[in-house]
Each structure stands twice: as C-alpha cells, then as structure tokens.
Amino acid sequence: MEKVALIGSGNWGSAVAKIVGRNVVKFDHFDRNVKMWVFEEKINGQNLTEIINTKHENVKYLPGIQLPENIIACPDLLETCRDATMLIFVVPHQFVTSICKQLKGKIPANCKAISLIKGIDVNENGFRLITDMIQDSLGIRTCVLSGANIANEVAEERFCETTIGYRDRSDGELFKQIFHTPTFRVNIVEDVNGVELCGALKNIIAVGGGLVDGLKLGDNTKAAIIRIGLYEMRKFSQMFYKGVRDETFFESCGVADLITTCAGGRNRKVAEAHVLTGKPFDQLEQEMLNGQKLQGTSTAKDMYDILSKKNLCHEFPLMTAIYRICYENLPPITIVQDI
Ligand SMILES: NC(=O)c1ccc[n+]([C@@H]2O[C@H](COP(=O)([O-])OP(=O)(O)OC[C@H]3O[C@@H](n4cnc5c(N)ncnc54)[C@H](O)[C@@H]3O)[C@@H](O)[C@H]2O)c1
Ligand SMILES: O=P(O)(O)OC[C@H](O)CO
C-alpha cells in the first residue's frame, strides 16, 4: 500500500492537493488519506490548518477552491511524513534545505519523492538541482513534475499538460497515477535534469516578459524574449548537464511553460509593476502576492552567481541583463539593448 504526503500548501501545493486527493481513492494500492504539511499561520486569529480541515479550503493561498475531505492539513512536518511512501515536495525552493534537514533519517526507507519546485540551490560550493538535494540528503529516488501550470487555472480544471521527469520508469508511472486527470494531462520522460532546469530557468525569463510588458514594447518583443530565453535555457542546461535532451524543451515543461509564465504568471505581473511604479521587487512581492513567493528574481541572482564565477555572462546576455535590472538598478530598457 502506498501512502502519499504533500510537503507544502501554497498556491500550487493546494491546487495539486485537489488532484491528488481525488486520484488516490481511484486505486486500491493508495491509502485514501493524504496528509498535507502546512507552514502554520493565523488567519483572523484561527490556525490555517484548522480552517483547511473544517472548511476544506485554503482560504489564503487558493481561495474559492474546495479541497477533497481526504486532504488532512498538518502543522507538524515529521508527523506528516512519518509513514509516507510517496513524498510530494511543493514549497518555494528557499525552504527545501531546512525541510530536508528535519526529515533526514525520519522517513521510511522505501520512500520515493517528486519535486514540483521551480528553482535551483546555490551555495558557496556551487549549485545543485532540487531533486539532487532531496535525493542526496534523504537517500530516496526523486522525480520531478513541471509544466505550463498556473495553479489557479489548474484548480479550476481548465485543460493543460504537464511533464514528469523520471530516472526509474516505474517511479514515473506511479507518480503519473496520482497526478493525471482528463484536464491535467501528464507525459512522462526520462530526463529529470532537463525537466527541472526548464522549470527553474523559465522563472528568470518570465521576469523579462514582465519588463517588456511594463515598457509596452509589444508582442514582437515579447516573442523575441521568449525565443532568446528558450535558447539560453537549453544552452545552460546542456552546458552543465550533458544528458539533457533537446526534445524536453518541446514538452509542456519547456516551451509551453515559458509561454504561459510570460503571459500570466506572478513573475511577469510583478516585473511589469516594477517598470510601471519604480518600486523594488521585494516590496512589490509583499504588496501584490499576499504571502506567495516570487522565484524569478532570486533565481536570476543564483544564475548570475554561477555565470559570473565561471566567466560566462557574455554567453547568456538575456539572463545577465535581467539580473542587472533586478539587482543593479539598471534601467529596464537595457533588456533589449544588452542582448
Ligand atoms: N503557483 C503556481 O502557479 C505554481 C505553478 C507551478 C509550480 N509552482 C512552483 O511551486 C513551488 C511552490 O509554490 P507555491 O505557489 O505553492 O507557493 P506560494 O508562493 O503560493 O506560497 C508560499 C508558501 O510558502 C510557505 N512558507 C512561508 N514561509 C515558510 C517557511 N519559512 N518554511 C516553509 N514554508 C514557508 C507559505 O506558508 C506558503 O505555503 C514554487 O517552486 C513554484 O515556483 C508554482
Ligand atoms: O506565477 P509564476 O510566475 O510563479 O509561474 C507559475 C507557474 O510556474 C507557471 O507554470
């Protein structure tokens, strides 16, 4: 019997909880109850976990969407994961290190994981993919899921696709069972690194998409940013991870996610507001996202740290320009002057 646990309950975590809660009851080999770890907070004096478990709605991060009653919100990370055999990591990437530290040695040996996180981990020793962090620190095989998946649209059951990257095909197929629905179509591919890098790097390009929207440069410019962005994403991925496949960039995790995120994502929205108001990104994140996290600016910084250390900035002019606009106060128009 497989037992699924969700680590995270933000906008995407809650949308995914709706899918997973409904899917596990369709198969005999899944336990029907799914615990979901919630980073506890008070909403009008009441714990968010209590609200989710009574109202069956995450009123802060996914308001208006009913969650299945077999999704059980839990404020204790170890309690959530203690007897799980399938872990779904769906938190902003900056929190993964601390979560893995807490889980080390505390989860069953037969556990498998999947990361729905779009970001990379950079420290003084270099950078790591989130799936590698989870796999190395917990000693469990880890897949990745990434695609053109704006959480609210997925939660409203509007048709879309997504991509699961696996190392072991049986893991890919098992995870597909808990995610695939007629309106959330899953394709599985044997390219964990490629799928994950697409999801992480597209957040930087989404900031670029928002900058050109704020500058009102029009659709041709936006298309150019998307094309150059896709080119730099593939170049970086294949430069650092030799097995990354060209075909992965044609999956939902690749070109489709880039289009969606440059059209309707949070990174795009906040970057546009940065141009229109002149306010810094961290202030706009606070003002506009109601506790949700922006990933694109911090990933742009992470990328710049990697590229500058390796003297490669000139090979990635778009990502470098986006970093400089976000962190060195360069005027937004330099996005089209420096590429
Ligand atoms: N929202 C989307 O449309 C979407 C879609 C696909 C992928 N993703 C990716 O999914 C991942 C999770 O994003 P999200 O949208 O679910 O989150 P979010 O930005 O909506 O919410 C932030 C979450 O972080 C939690 N949090 C705050 N402080 C914390 C701490 N110290 N430790 C642990 N958790 C803390 C909050 O409680 C909240 O659940 C990200 O990597 C994101 O890029 C998001
Ligand atoms: O809202 P964003 O910019 O974090 O993007 C959300 C998803 O990653 C789109 O697939």
Side-chain angles (χ1 to χ4, degrees):
M1 177 72 78
E2 300 284 356
K3 193 162 174 53
V4 182
L6 277 152
I7 302 173
S9 53
N11 190 226
W12 188 219
S14 303
V16 155
K18 177 177 170 185
I19 294 174
V20 171
R22 283 184 180 175
N23 274 356
V24 289
V25 298
K26 293 181 189 159
F27 299 90
D28 290 338
H29 54 276
F30 294 116
D31 189 304
R32 57 173 295 113
N33 287 327
V34 176
K35 285 191 188 143
M36 175 172 77
W37 176 60
V38 175
F39 182 76
E40 191 68 285
E41 59 187 292
K42 296 271 186 204
I43 312 283
N44 297 328
Q46 200 182 357
N47 285 336
L48 181 56
T49 47
E50 286 165 26
I51 299 174
I52 294 173
N53 287 336
T54 49
K55 243 184 134 196
H56 304 292
E57 180 185 343
N58 188 336
V59 293
K60 176 156 181 188
Y61 292 102
L62 192 63
I65 298 292
Q66 200 66 20
L67 300 179
E69 296 196 5
N70 58 335
I71 295 293
I72 299 149
C74 179
D76 184 326
L77 178 65
L78 297 185
E79 168 61 27
T80 304
C81 303
R82 183 181 300 130
D83 50 359
T85 61
M86 295 171 72
L87 296 178
I88 302 169
F89 282 78
V90 57
V91 288
H93 66 273
Q94 54 267 44
F95 304 127
V96 179
T97 306
S98 118
I99 288 170
C100 285
K101 264 189 201 147
Q102 295 173 65
L103 290 179
K104 199 173 166 65
K106 308 268 174 46
I107 50 170
N110 61 343
C111 217
K112 305 155 278 295
I114 190 164
S115 169
L116 276 54
I117 296 164
K118 294 178 176 174
I120 48 176
D121 175 57
V122 175
N123 60 35
E124 58 287 354
N125 303 318
F127 74 100
R128 269 192 309 174
L129 299 183
I130 304 294
T131 48
D132 288 336
M133 276 177 78
I134 297 169
Q135 190 151 294
D136 296 348
S137 58
L138 301 180
I140 57 179
R141 289 198 308 269
T142 306
C143 295
V144 64
L145 179 149
S146 190
N149 303 143
I150 289 180
N152 292 55
E153 295 178 21
V154 173
E156 288 165 11
E157 298 175 44
R158 301 196 219 162
F159 175 82
C160 68
E161 299 179 301
T162 200
T163 316
I164 287 180
Y166 64 83
R167 289 194 178 85
D168 183 316
R169 189 172 177 93
S170 64
D171 290 347
E173 283 169 352
L174 186 64
F175 277 112
K176 180 174 177 175
Q177 289 180 342
I178 60 168
F179 288 111
H180 183 84
T181 76
T183 56
F184 188 65
R185 187 182 291 175
V186 177
N187 192 28
I188 67 172
V189 299
E190 192 178 3
D191 185 4
V192 173
N193 296 342
V195 175
E196 180 163 0
L197 282 158
C198 281
L201 299 178
K202 70 85 190 168
N203 280 336
I204 307 173
I205 313 304
V207 173
L211 294 173
V212 302
D213 281 351
L215 291 163
K216 304 201 185 311
L217 291 175
D219 294 336
N220 293 344
T221 309
K222 179 76 102 44
I225 295 298
I226 292 173
R227 188 202 70 77
I228 298 165
L230 189 63
Y231 175 81
E232 290 193 9
M233 284 165 55
R234 188 185 66 165
K235 182 172 175 175
F236 179 87
S237 303
Q238 295 183 336
M239 189 180 272
F240 287 92
Y241 291 88
K242 293 298 170 215
V244 169
R245 298 174 175 181
D246 279 343
E247 306 89 82
T248 300
F249 295 86
F250 294 96
E251 294 289 337
S252 178
C253 62
V255 63
D257 196 9
L258 199 50
I259 292 170
T260 244
T261 200
C262 285
R266 303 170 291 194
N267 289 291
R268 189 219 66 83
K269 187 166 80 170
V270 171
E272 178 184 47
H274 169 75
V275 178
L276 297 176
T277 65
K279 292 181 184 175
F281 280 91
D282 50 359
Q283 183 183 341
L284 291 166
E285 182 184 26
Q286 299 281 336
E287 288 177 5
M288 297 176 71
L289 296 186
N290 189 32
Q292 293 182 34
K293 301 287 180 204
L294 204 58
Q295 310 272 270
T297 47
S298 61
T299 306
K301 181 171 186 323
D302 289 341
M303 272 295 290
Y304 182 77
D305 288 347
I306 299 163
L307 295 176
S308 54
K309 273 190 194 131
K310 296 189 181 289
N311 208 11
L312 283 170
C313 291
H314 62 288
E315 298 224 33
F316 296 89
L318 177 59
M319 294 197 202
T320 302
I322 292 168
Y323 162 79
R324 293 205 160 117
I325 293 163
C326 295
Y327 288 94
E328 294 179 356
N329 283 328
L330 255 62
I333 192 66
T334 53
I335 190 169
V336 289
Q337 294 168 341
D338 287 0
I339 52 178

